[in-house]
Amino acid sequence: MKQKRIPLVGRQYLVPFILITSLFFLWGFAHAILNVLNKHFQEILDITKTHSAFIQMTMYMGYFIMAIPAGLFISRFGYRRGVVFGLLLYGIGSLLFIPGQQYLSFNLFLFALFVIGCGLTFLETAANPYATELGAKETAASRLNFAQSFNGLGCICAPVLAGLLLFSKDGQTGSGNVALPYICMGLVVLLVALVFSRIKLPEIEHSVEVDEAGNKVGLWSHRLFIFGLIALFAYEVGEISINSFFINYVVEQNWMNAREASVVLSFGGLGLFMLGRFAGSWIMGRVRAEKMLLVCATGTVVTTSLVLLDVGMVSLAALLCGYAFEAIMFPTIFALSLRGLGNHTKRASSFLMMSPVGGVVGPLLMGLVADYATMVWAFIVPLVAYCVVWAYARKMVSVSTASSI
């Protein structure tokens, strides 16, 4: 059934929405640059794929450890201070790459990434639910997808910049300074933190949810939220593990070298990812988010299966198409999981932001399978993850259909 057209953002919230949306680019850049660091550190430090997966593991472990403290901080001090604190941690972590480069210490790089991960946790715990609140609840998923589209823009820029700096024209590791993009990023982030420290963002108030007897309803009584939390974790396993080993996969298939692969990852995979989010935001202004999620989940299952079948360039095309299908998953699952939670929204958001721990599990499992089998067989990990997302989407469509009868 066609959804009634509702404005994407409330007029009174337009300026806050623009400011919050700018943050999505910053953490998109931080996430995507990791995908180039993976290959770079394998070569310059002579480590295995499993060992290089610690890059993702360390950063995303910051999400798991800091998500609950971030939620408590934001519940007490508000969205704006949560954003500022997150930006400060992000900036400090980026500048820690300077001593890491000086001593060429893998452990120092990992510590810097952990600090960045903690900062991103505060940013995402504040910005994601805040974006869903700045307008009608019917357009929450579409609004968050639109904001997250700028995350995709950051994802495009990062591998191009890092790939050009770190890999020579023949695809081998060059003499580029890995700290340079992080220094630039850190200075920009600290400047943005100064801007947010001097502006006011309206806080969204929620009523306390009670049952028919007048008793408070707890967060964990919402079973669809729990399923959404599991689905979001599964999505992170699939998306981050594929990003982590995209360059390894295409290089080992003898399709291109590492430098070319970083460009293809940016403009091919992550370009489709960004376009998928913009298109998804537009489509979900016209159809229900649950149906869109089910279609896209089916697409990721099919495309990842084609990669596993190892059918030459068809597998490469499928891998790239998978980026378009997965694009709307995080913001859509996030928005659907928060639906109807009322005063539990900030706390629920902090639990949802623990889901990037899938970035610890996915790359590690994929790296292990790749080291002991082949890079192709490693795609069994994201396939299983996308099947879980498909099951969640199917459940949400059923619930939506039942409620509309």
Side-chain angles (χ1 to χ4, degrees):
M1 181 173 145
K2 190 173 180 180
Q3 189 173 317
K4 182 181 177 182
R5 292 297 305 278
I6 301 171
L8 186 67
V9 184
R11 182 175 297 179
Q12 71 274 30
Y13 296 134
L14 183 59
V15 172
F17 181 72
I18 293 172
L19 290 171
I20 287 294
T21 298
S22 70
L23 300 175
F24 287 77
F25 174 89
L26 294 177
W27 75 65
F29 192 98
H31 283 255
I33 200 171
L34 294 182
N35 307 324
V36 179
L37 288 184
N38 233 35
K39 181 65 174 174
H40 177 69
F41 283 138
Q42 286 170 30
E43 296 181 358
I44 197 171
L45 299 176
D46 192 25
I47 58 178
T48 65
K49 296 182 183 69
T50 305
H51 195 184
S52 72
F54 276 83
I55 295 169
Q56 273 78 13
M57 286 176 61
T58 302
M59 183 163 165
Y60 291 110
M61 185 58 74
Y63 280 83
F64 185 74
I65 293 173
M66 198 56 66
I68 301 302
L72 294 173
F73 183 95
I74 292 165
S75 293
R76 181 170 181 179
F77 297 107
Y79 288 114
R80 184 181 65 84
R81 290 181 180 176
V83 166
V84 172
F85 190 66
L87 288 169
L88 289 175
L89 287 176
Y90 183 175
I92 292 169
S94 298
L95 296 181
L96 284 174
F97 264 70
I98 298 174
Q101 177 68 36
Q102 183 177 351
Y103 295 104
L104 206 60
S105 168
F106 190 54
N107 289 334
L108 265 177
F109 285 130
L110 293 182
F111 178 70
L113 289 170
F114 176 77
V115 175
I116 292 173
C118 291
L120 295 181
T121 307
F122 274 85
L123 282 183
E124 297 196 48
T125 303
N128 280 305
Y130 195 62
T132 67
E133 298 288 348
L134 298 176
K137 65 179 182 179
E138 292 86 355
T139 56
S142 178
R143 186 163 50 252
L144 186 53
N145 267 282
F146 180 80
Q148 285 272 3
S149 299
F150 294 89
N151 172 282
L153 182 60
C155 288
I156 290 175
C157 295
V160 171
L161 176 61
L164 293 175
L165 287 173
L166 302 181
F167 297 116
S168 61
K169 291 183 179 179
D170 61 1
Q172 301 302 310
T173 296
S175 58
N177 187 336
V178 73
L180 184 58
Y182 277 92
I183 294 170
C184 297
M185 190 165 64
L187 294 175
V188 170
V189 166
L190 292 176
L191 180 61
V192 174
L194 179 63
V195 172
F196 270 87
S197 69
R198 297 182 178 278
I199 62 171
K200 289 184 179 182
L201 294 177
E203 286 294 324
I204 309 296
E205 300 296 332
H206 297 283
S207 59
V208 177
E209 184 182 9
V210 295
D211 59 20
E212 294 180 355
N215 300 314
K216 291 184 180 179
V217 178
L219 173 62
W220 300 108
S221 64
H222 293 269
R223 294 184 179 181
L224 290 179
F225 165 73
I226 297 173
F227 199 175
L229 181 60
I230 295 170
L232 204 58
F233 169 80
Y235 161 76
E236 296 283 8
V237 168
E239 188 248 348
I240 296 169
S241 59
I242 289 177
N243 284 344
S244 301
F245 291 105
F246 178 95
I247 294 176
N248 282 103
Y249 171 69
V250 298
V251 169
E252 291 183 19
Q253 294 291 92
N254 295 316
W255 291 328
M256 60 195 77
N257 61 40
R259 184 185 177 99
E260 292 166 345
S262 66
V263 174
V264 171
L265 174 60
S266 291
F267 293 104
L270 298 176
L272 286 170
F273 186 86
M274 182 185 71
L275 291 175
R277 280 194 171 161
F278 275 118
S281 175
W282 182 81
I283 293 171
M284 279 187 281
R286 292 153 177 79
V287 301
R288 297 192 68 88
E290 299 91 334
K291 291 183 178 179
M292 184 69 178
L293 181 61
L294 181 59
V295 170
C296 290
T298 303
T300 56
V301 171
V302 172
T303 53
T304 310
S305 297
L306 286 172
V307 175
L308 270 168
L309 290 174
D310 196 15
V311 284
M313 296 304 288
V314 173
S315 292
L316 176 60
L319 178 61
L320 293 173
C321 288
Y323 279 91
F325 285 119
E326 74 178 15
I328 61 100
M329 286 184 174
F330 181 91
T332 304
I333 297 171
F334 197 99
L336 292 176
S337 299
L338 292 180
R339 183 178 290 175
L341 293 185
N343 66 306
H344 297 304
T345 299
K346 291 179 180 177
R347 182 164 167 248
S349 176
S350 67
F351 283 109
L352 290 172
M353 286 317 306
M354 294 177 74
S355 66
V357 76
V360 176
V361 178
L364 181 60
L365 290 176
M366 203 167 177
L368 285 170
V369 176
D371 282 337
Y372 287 98
T374 66
M375 197 66 246
V376 172
W377 273 105
F379 278 82
I380 193 70
V381 174
L383 176 61
V384 172
Y386 290 137
C387 286
V388 174
V389 176
W390 184 91
Y392 172 73
R394 184 71 187 87
K395 176 64 176 178
M396 293 304 294
V397 169
S398 299
V399 171
S400 174
T401 302
S403 64
S404 62
I405 295 177

